[in-house]
Amino acid sequence: MSPLLDGCTPWPEEFVDRYRSAGSWRGVTLDALLGDRARRHPTRTALVHGATRLTYGQLNRRVERTAAGFRLRGLRPGQRVVVRLPGVPEHVVTLFALLRTGAVPVVCPLALGVEELARVVRITEATGHVGTAGHRADVAAVAARGPFLRRAFTYEPPGAGSPYGGMTIDASGCHHFPLDSVESAPGPAPVRGAGEVAFLLLSAGPDGGPLLVPRTHDAYAYQVRAAGEAMGLGEDDVLLAALPAAALLATGCPGTVGTLLAGGTVVLADDPEPATCLPLVAAERVTCTTLTPDALTAWLDAAPPAGTDLGSLRLVQTGGAPVPAELAARVRPGLGCALQEFVALPEGVVALARPGAPAGSPAEGLSRDDEFRIAGPDGAEVPHGASGELLARGPSVPRGYYRAPDADARAFTADGRFRTGLHARRAAEGGGPTVVWASQTER
């Protein structure tokens, strides 16, 4: 197996062999999978945002040129780069371009505070930051505190940037580049293994501070591929990406990356409001989307504009909070599609109910290699029908956080199971677990 970053806990060799033999880990990096899609279907539409439409061929070329631009500006394999971007094509291009350079994106929410940013930079020793113009002051403040952050790439909407462009250097010595200037002629890409860390995702620690979750290419590709198979995702599907970009990546059920790797089309929405999204569903013939329960309620309460045809929509996924039975019952008559409940954590734990199943139906892991255990206070598995904490391990679940041994001791059992902090109920004899979002337990 390829070496992980220093500060990551490797999987035991017996599990590496098991996951490879089962075909869960297939040894191909995420950016190579995108490149394969581009070679096979260069003219198929990959991304839509407003008036911007990118085919797979165009998307892959932008990734190649942006990756070369990042290398030209000093980013090197293994370096960590904080990414805080809205749901725009540049987010997708940046993510895959950093992967192609061998850098490790640290995917953070747009609203990450300056103290949280400083902590993330300190833990990861991040050398770069990709964000919006509104982040410049925070980046400069964090760069002035230590030696790590020295390159910042700023996204601005088309027409909003300085007409003069160019690089600037702040008082700390951090170099600032317009993101739209970061491109160059493609050159040879570094050779990497699918067992290496693709990116780091944020999770919340007991003190509310950030914990970093290392996700390898193999593990994340397995997650989004298996989640896509569970919902019947194919090349003809059109996903409406209405949630924040960082949240969709953390969810990975299958999200933007999973849809692209399956050959589908991703339509990027600026927000999940029904006034924004329902016309997009009709115009782009959207087939599936992921919403929070609150956003789903807003969609059902809204009256679609006259003439809005939602007939293409076949599935709405929702997670992050319990779905009341009365809300679930409104989906089929209100939107004409099935509902799929899920549980997904940045730590790679995914449990999916069957599409169209009633609220509270049993949820299962992605494959037989996903091992769920419902444990009582003593750590022993509870009897059928009883409740306890969901413990999980599998091909998508790492064996520890990044550079956080104290958190690892609390959150992972001696045999590598992640303590999710979620209450779950063990189903009746022969069934899988039903995840119940009633409360959090202490890890």
Side-chain angles (χ1 to χ4, degrees):
M1 183 174 179
S2 304
L4 295 175
L5 291 174
D6 289 341
C8 294
T9 303
W11 281 269
E13 283 299 321
E14 64 179 290
F15 287 89
V16 174
D17 293 342
R18 178 192 302 178
Y19 299 153
R20 286 176 174 168
S21 297
S24 298
W25 291 356
R26 300 182 179 179
V28 186
T29 63
L30 296 170
D31 56 293
L33 289 169
L34 178 68
D36 179 65
R37 281 290 172 188
R39 284 187 291 273
R40 287 194 286 160
H41 302 292
T43 61
R44 186 186 295 273
T45 301
L47 276 181
V48 177
H49 181 245
T52 299
R53 307 183 79 86
L54 294 177
T55 65
Y56 274 90
Q58 291 168 334
L59 173 60
N60 193 57
R61 284 193 293 274
R62 284 188 60 178
V63 167
E64 287 181 337
R65 293 188 64 83
T66 303
F70 281 139
R71 288 193 294 270
L72 186 65
R73 285 154 182 81
L75 293 185
R76 296 292 178 261
Q79 291 182 333
R80 276 71 71 195
V81 179
V82 175
V83 177
R84 290 195 292 165
L85 289 173
V88 292
E90 286 79 4
H91 186 280
V92 178
V93 171
T94 294
L95 182 72
F96 279 104
L98 289 172
L99 296 179
R100 199 158 288 180
T101 67
V104 180
V106 185
V107 183
C108 298
L110 275 171
L112 191 72
V114 65
E115 293 305 321
E116 289 80 8
L117 174 62
R119 185 169 173 178
V120 167
V121 169
R122 183 174 65 253
I123 295 170
T124 63
E125 300 179 5
T127 60
H129 180 281
V130 186
T132 68
H135 295 142
R136 281 187 67 109
D138 285 357
V139 170
V142 173
R145 297 187 190 185
F148 304 120
L149 204 55
R150 286 297 173 261
R151 291 173 182 82
F153 305 91
T154 303
Y155 162 76
E156 293 188 271
S162 166
Y164 304 105
M167 180 193 74
T168 59
I169 304 176
D170 65 25
S172 70
C174 182
H175 293 60
H176 295 258
F177 305 90
L179 183 59
D180 62 8
S181 73
V182 180
E183 65 171 33
S184 185
V191 177
R192 292 152 300 115
E196 296 179 28
V197 173
F199 41 73
L200 296 167
L201 300 179
L202 257 63
S203 184
D207 62 353
L211 288 171
L212 294 152
V213 185
R215 307 302 306 275
T216 67
H217 292 268
D218 263 335
Y220 196 78
Y222 159 76
Q223 176 180 322
V224 297
R225 180 181 64 249
E229 291 170 354
M231 63 173 282
L233 185 72
E235 294 180 348
D236 294 330
D237 274 303
V238 180
L239 172 81
L240 180 66
L243 299 181
L248 275 176
L249 192 69
T251 300
C253 281
T256 301
V257 172
T259 302
L260 292 173
L261 299 189
T265 298
V266 175
V267 178
L268 301 170
D270 293 329
D271 59 65
E273 294 300 317
T276 301
C277 292
L278 295 180
L280 284 174
V281 171
E284 300 295 341
R285 309 307 296 159
V286 168
T287 61
C288 48
T289 192
T290 302
L291 300 172
T292 64
D294 286 347
L296 176 60
T297 300
W299 279 35
L300 291 168
D301 289 345
T308 302
D309 179 8
L310 305 181
S312 61
L313 193 62
R314 67 174 182 84
L315 184 69
V316 171
Q317 293 182 313
T318 188
V323 178
E326 58 271 21
L327 176 62
R330 295 175 59 194
V331 173
R332 178 67 72 178
L335 297 176
C337 66
L339 177 70
Q340 183 180 41
E341 290 187 81
F342 68 88
V343 172
L345 303 178
E347 290 84 358
V349 178
V350 177
L352 294 164
R354 179 174 49 82
S361 296
E364 299 180 353
L366 298 174
S367 76
R368 285 180 293 182
D369 282 326
D370 284 308
E371 303 173 63
F372 288 168
R373 175 180 292 173
I374 315 300
D378 60 355
E381 189 164 23
V382 302
H384 290 284
S387 297
E389 183 185 9
L390 176 66
L391 310 183
R393 74 180 179 191
S396 61
V397 183
R399 291 304 181 101
Y401 292 108
Y402 179 59
R403 294 180 173 174
D406 291 342
D408 289 348
R410 291 190 301 268
F412 291 85
T413 64
D415 61 353
R417 298 177 192 273
F418 174 61
R419 303 180 189 275
T420 66
L422 298 175
H423 277 300
R425 184 177 67 253
R426 191 176 179 193
E429 191 79 33
T434 300
V435 177
V436 181
W437 290 81
S439 62
Q440 291 284 128
T441 62
E442 291 293 331
R443 287 208 293 262

